[in-house]
Amino acid sequence: MKEEKEKMGIGSNKVCFGGNMGSGCKGLRKRIFSGLTGKSAIIGMMVAMAGMMMGCGTNEENYKKAYDKAMEKKGEEAESTIYTRVREMSREEKIVTGGDTVNVVVEYVTATEEAGFTASQLKKYNVVVGRFKQLFHAKSMRKRMDEGGYHGAIIVETGEPLYYVVLRSTTDLGEARGVADSVRVSSPVKLGDGFPMILRASNRR
């Protein structure tokens, strides 16, 4: 039995049925098939073909998994880089206007289109009365401010995104400061620590 297996090449090199198409494997397969006749030859051929297909399929599947994983990592790295650069643009600065110094936060923001706002509504200086991780909460605060007499607020967002409720968006820092002072003492909604704040959109001039 052992001699017959050795003659046929069975068990001598299993990788030959796993997609390895070297000359040694070809010779081994030739020896296998030459020792088979009739139904045995057909069965042997089917087994060999199945092994080849399984090997090729496994190699292709492994390659695809490795490729997908590499692309996923590449995408995460790119996203992280973009996020870091956007956050690096966020800073505080002091601006003198009318003889007074005004603290301003500088950050890249965009109008939240999902909430119905457009880029044309976003100006350089923005009086922010709230900041939220969920758009739903930003919409809720905007509605309450409107019901309390402060109309026309818009919602803008950062790249994270965080959603800012902007009570007034203007090109005039003096106007923004006046609105901030007013809402600080008469807001119909309790404001969180640090609000109102004046945000200068770094992407507006």
Side-chain angles (χ1 to χ4, degrees), residues 2 4-5 7 14 21 37 44 68 72 77 111 119 137 139 149 160 164 175 181 186 190 194 204:
K2 182 177 179 181
E4 291 180 0
K5 287 185 177 180
K7 180 179 179 181
K14 294 181 180 179
M21 293 298 292
T37 59
D68 290 343
E72 180 180 353
E77 290 176 350
H137 296 304
K139 288 181 176 181
E160 294 168 274
Y164 292 156
E175 180 185 353
D181 290 342
S186 62
K190 183 178 179 180
R204 290 290 184 273

Side-chain angles (χ1 to χ4, degrees), residues 4-78:
E4 291 180 0
K5 287 185 177 180
E6 290 179 350
K7 180 179 179 181
M8 294 169 62
I10 297 176
S12 61
N13 193 345
K14 294 181 180 179
V15 297
C16 287
F17 293 102
N20 189 329
M21 293 298 292
S23 58
C25 290
K26 291 180 179 179
L28 175 59
R29 289 169 185 157
K30 184 175 181 181
R31 292 199 302 275
I32 292 174
F33 297 137
S34 64
L36 299 175
T37 59
K39 291 184 178 180
S40 297
I42 296 175
I43 294 174
M45 184 180 296
M46 291 176 65
V47 171
M49 291 179 65
M52 293 171 60
M53 292 175 66
M54 288 176 63
C56 293
T58 301
N59 290 340
E60 183 177 354
E61 182 179 354
N62 290 340
Y63 174 80
K64 185 177 185 301
K65 287 181 179 179
Y67 176 81
D68 290 343
K69 186 174 182 180
M71 294 306 295
E72 180 180 353
K73 183 177 180 181
K74 184 177 180 181
E76 290 175 353
E77 290 176 350

Side-chain angles (χ1 to χ4, degrees), residues 94-115:
K94 298 181 183 295
I95 302 176
V96 177
T97 179
D100 295 324
T101 301
V102 180
N103 293 323
V104 174
V105 173
V106 183
E107 192 166 6
Y108 184 98
V109 294
T110 57
T112 303
E113 296 181 357
E114 187 178 347

Side-chain angles (χ1 to χ4, degrees), residues 43-201:
I43 294 174
M45 184 180 296
M46 291 176 65
V47 171
M49 291 179 65
M52 293 171 60
M53 292 175 66
M54 288 176 63
C56 293
T58 301
N59 290 340
E60 183 177 354
E61 182 179 354
N62 290 340
Y63 174 80
K64 185 177 185 301
K65 287 181 179 179
Y67 176 81
D68 290 343
K69 186 174 182 180
M71 294 306 295
E72 180 180 353
K73 183 177 180 181
K74 184 177 180 181
E76 290 175 353
E77 290 176 350
E79 183 177 352
S80 176
T81 300
I82 293 172
Y83 171 77
T84 300
R85 289 177 179 175
V86 169
R87 293 306 299 165
E88 286 176 349
M89 296 175 67
S90 177
R91 64 184 186 279
E92 294 184 3
E93 65 180 21
K94 298 181 183 295
I95 302 176
V96 177
T97 179
D100 295 324
T101 301
V102 180
N103 293 323
V104 174
V105 173
V106 183
E107 192 166 6
Y108 184 98
V109 294
T110 57
T112 303
E113 296 181 357
E114 187 178 347
F117 303 104
T118 62
S120 63
Q121 293 175 281
L122 176 63
K123 309 300 181 185
K124 185 175 182 179
Y125 297 107
N126 301 271
V127 181
V128 178
V129 292
R131 176 177 55 208
F132 304 93
K133 291 184 178 180
Q134 301 294 329
L135 179 57
F136 171 81
H137 296 304
K139 288 181 176 181
S140 177
M141 183 176 190
R142 177 181 179 274
K143 181 179 179 180
R144 285 182 289 153
M145 293 299 291
D146 183 74
E147 292 172 347
Y150 284 90
H151 309 298
I154 66 173
I155 298 174
V156 302
E157 62 187 82
T158 66
E160 294 168 274
L162 289 175
Y163 298 98
Y164 292 156
V165 179
V166 175
L167 198 61
R168 181 71 58 85
S169 190
T170 176
T171 57
D172 186 341
L173 178 58
E175 180 185 353
R177 181 188 178 188
V179 173
D181 290 342
S182 174
V183 74
R184 183 176 288 111
V185 298
S186 62
S187 174
V189 178
K190 183 178 179 180
L191 304 180
D193 294 340
F195 295 97
M197 74 173 187
I198 297 178
L199 171 75
R200 179 170 74 80

